[in-house]
Amino acid sequence: RHPVLMLHGRTWSSVPVYHLLGGPHSNQTGELGETCESRSTMEALYDAGLQPYAVDFRGFGGTPKDWTGGVEPDRCVCDAETVLRWIARRHGLL
């Protein structure tokens, strides 16, 4: 599988942007018992033969803020580069 890294904007977490729950992969049903269609970009990319990854920048989603308490663009770039290196090692690309 070819890896794909998805990065969200600075005001959202990766989960609501790329992995909305529902559909056959999560066995979710609506309030009236109807089957919910998947709205997950990550599931769609995986089903298409890719290996998706999504990262939350510090202080968004499930990640804590760092010691500064803020989100700095340069820090986000460094974090994205670190994740890209991790993905490359995991997939034998480095």
Side-chain angles (χ1 to χ4, degrees):
R1 290 185 177 270
H2 294 284
V4 175
L5 176 61
M6 297 179 294
L7 303 172
H8 59 80
R10 288 182 51 185
T11 59
W12 289 92
S13 166
S14 291
V15 173
V17 174
Y18 299 119
H19 189 56
L20 294 177
L21 298 179
H25 294 284
S26 62
N27 296 320
Q28 295 284 321
T29 56
E31 291 179 19
L32 301 175
E34 73 278 13
T35 301
C36 298
E37 289 185 38
S38 177
R39 301 284 190 242
S40 174
T41 301
M42 293 188 71
E43 288 176 357
L45 290 171
Y46 186 85
D47 290 346
L50 299 170
Q51 180 59 61
Y53 294 91
V55 63
D56 281 335
F57 291 118
R58 298 174 197 216
F60 294 102
T63 59
K65 292 182 179 181
D66 67 5
W67 62 272
T68 66
V71 179
E72 299 292 329
D74 290 345
R75 199 168 305 116
C76 292
V77 170
C78 289
D79 290 346
E81 289 174 340
T82 299
V83 172
L84 285 169
R85 282 191 296 275
W86 179 85
I87 291 170
R89 281 194 304 273
R90 182 177 172 104
H91 288 266
L93 301 173
L94 279 182

